[in-house]
Amino acid sequence: MPLQIYDARERRLVRAADGVLSTVAWLRAPFRRRRGTSQSPRRILLLRLERIGDLLMALPAIADVRSLAPDSEIDLVVGHWNAALAEAIPAVTRVESLDAGWLARDAGGADMPALLRRARGWRPRHYDLAINFEPDIRSNLLLAAAGAGWTAGYRSGGGGALLDLALDFDPRTHTTDNARRLVSEVFGRPAMDAARPLLHVPDHAVRSAAARLSTTGRGPIVAVHTSGGRAIKQWEPARFASVASTLVRAHGATIVLTGSDADRPLSDVVKSVVPADHLVDVVGDADLLVLAALFERVDLLLTGDTGPMHLASAVGTPVVAVFGPSDPRRYAPRGASDRVIRVDLPCSPCNRIRLPPARCVGHTPDCLVAVSVDRVLEAVLSVLAESPAGRARTGTGRV
């Protein structure tokens, strides 16, 4: 399978680097002594350096690692933005933060030489097994620098020659399924599915969420996350506002506004149409763990393709998600009641999130313009009608 990199220049650079790495690996092979295999590892290193949703989609695979290696120490390396969330993963023994320059949105993060120095500093831990859940040549280089006895990951983003087990990431399959397939290939068998919590929301976050929702009325409680995170994924805030206004006016809903400080201009569009006695505003005032606890207590989350979408799904809250260029086969929430609202266009889903087509830059792309308020509202009402909690809050069998 060819490299899955849609920027032509980057693809050429990675292909050239792959050629060098393959030659070096071939020359070293006769002299390289592996310390073992993936079987019965005592210490395991996992890399998931990307954004909130990427970590959350890896939770089932991380739980699989724990199931298949119940007595192992499992260290998970994440960006600092995910550190608190990672600490709440029951399967993980230890969390370490590592901010890669190509992922840090605040122009921070370390460059590649500094990252490699950090990774080489992990060698005294003597990892028996290291798994990289990201198809990226740069994080494969970090995995190699860590000096684990056996390494596994994807070759689709380059760096496959550095790995003992290198799979192709299947872009037609959900990110979670790709990660779980990687783990099952590492251990030579799939994990047994079991009823196990993927996240353990700490008590302090639960108490904080309960206090913030203590004054909500009897109607359904609907969280609204207006920001799409990137302009290319942004459904118009006025349309979120229209849905929220109808839910309050016709169904007595309480709207819980979520987001970061940077999302305030978008969330204020919704806030402007919701009466104060039907509004809980936690924009810029709820960390990821409190947000998870809030989601556990609401009836539904309305959002775009965002990290909070995956967080709500991880704690079992129904989601209605507006998708534009993102491919739902790879990124959709997967709860039994979840709904993805999108339109079929010849160019959609293009999945070109980091490098959008030029015709879609500077305005809302057609694939999002075509998603109507009526369709989204219909989906929200349908999900609430199917929810026992939603029916109880409205006092009827239908919302």
Side-chain angles (χ1 to χ4, degrees):
M1 182 178 290
L3 292 172
Q4 296 171 16
I5 301 171
Y6 49 69
D7 181 74
R9 179 177 178 275
E10 183 180 346
R11 188 167 58 249
R12 288 194 296 270
L13 289 172
V14 172
R15 185 178 293 117
D18 261 358
V20 173
L21 292 173
S22 296
T23 301
V24 171
W26 179 77
L27 291 172
R28 288 185 59 200
F31 311 101
R32 188 178 184 223
R33 293 185 178 181
R34 307 306 284 147
R35 292 200 303 270
T37 69
S38 61
Q39 304 305 304
S40 303
R42 294 178 300 105
R43 300 207 68 183
I44 300 173
L45 173 66
L46 306 178
L47 291 189
R48 198 52 166 131
L49 302 179
E50 295 186 314
R51 306 311 302 180
I52 297 168
D54 300 298
L55 173 61
L56 290 164
M57 286 187 286
L59 292 185
I62 294 170
D64 286 349
V65 174
R66 171 55 69 201
S67 176
L68 293 164
D71 300 320
S72 298
E73 293 183 24
I74 300 175
D75 291 356
L76 173 63
V77 183
V78 298
H80 82 274
W81 47 84
N82 278 332
L85 197 60
E87 294 280 1
I89 302 174
V92 172
T93 308
R94 180 177 180 272
V95 173
E96 179 156 343
S97 296
L98 186 68
D99 292 357
W102 64 90
L103 296 172
R105 291 182 179 174
D106 56 1
D111 59 15
M112 201 65 204
L115 293 172
L116 288 170
R117 287 193 295 272
R118 281 283 302 279
R120 284 195 292 269
W122 302 334
R123 290 191 170 216
R125 299 177 190 172
H126 301 296
Y127 289 110
D128 302 293
L129 168 65
I131 302 173
N132 181 16
F133 288 117
E134 300 161 22
D136 193 300
I137 188 172
R138 294 162 293 193
S139 46
N140 280 341
L141 281 164
L142 298 181
L143 208 70
W150 209 79
T151 58
Y154 303 105
R155 57 177 162 244
S156 309
L162 300 167
L163 305 170
D164 293 294
L165 173 66
L167 302 185
D168 288 315
F169 186 97
D170 186 350
R172 302 160 300 179
T173 301
H174 201 277
T175 300
T176 294
D177 293 338
N178 272 286
R180 297 191 74 184
R181 176 171 61 92
L182 176 60
V183 172
S184 68
E185 290 284 345
V186 167
F187 286 92
R189 64 190 188 281
M192 297 293 292
D193 283 322
R196 57 194 179 219
L198 299 180
L199 281 178
H200 175 70
V201 181
D203 291 343
H204 72 83
V206 173
R207 290 193 297 269
S208 178
R212 294 167 195 236
L213 297 180
S214 61
T215 59
T216 54
R218 298 184 59 187
I221 305 174
V222 178
V224 178
H225 190 86
T226 311
S227 173
R230 295 175 183 268
I232 191 66
K233 297 194 296 180
Q234 184 63 58
W235 198 47
E236 293 179 15
R239 298 190 181 192
F240 280 107
S242 181
V243 175
S245 177
T246 301
L247 291 172
V248 172
R249 185 178 65 254
H251 305 284
T254 294
I255 303 300
V256 181
L257 279 179
T258 67
S260 67
D261 285 326
D263 299 332
R264 174 57 68 186
L266 301 173
S267 61
D268 276 352
V269 177
V270 179
K271 186 175 182 177
S272 68
V273 302
V274 177
D277 58 343
H278 284 266
L279 179 72
V280 176
D281 183 354
V282 298
V283 175
D285 191 35
D287 63 27
L288 287 175
L289 295 177
V290 172
L291 192 60
L294 283 166
F295 286 159
E296 286 183 323
R297 300 177 73 89
V298 306
D299 297 305
L300 178 142
L301 170 66
L302 170 61
T303 181
D305 168 31
T306 63
M309 173 189 76
H310 293 292
L311 184 59
S313 188
V315 298
T317 298
V319 174
V320 172
V322 179
F323 268 54
S326 301
D327 190 343
R329 293 178 302 176
R330 290 178 64 169
Y331 303 120
R334 309 183 83 187
S337 300
D338 295 344
R339 302 280 195 281
V340 169
I341 312 302
R342 59 176 300 273
V343 295
D344 285 316
L345 296 177
C347 57
S348 178
C350 66
N351 216 45
R352 292 182 59 177
I353 308 303
R354 295 179 181 173
L355 187 64
R359 67 180 182 278
C360 296
V361 175
H363 60 90
T364 304
D366 292 343
C367 54
L368 282 170
V369 170
V371 177
S372 69
V373 168
D374 288 344
R375 281 193 62 199
V376 173
L377 180 60
E378 180 184 10
V380 169
L381 295 177
S382 174
V383 172
L384 289 174
E386 294 173 4
S387 162
R391 290 198 300 270
R393 292 187 197 279
T394 59
T396 64
R398 296 288 298 175
V399 175

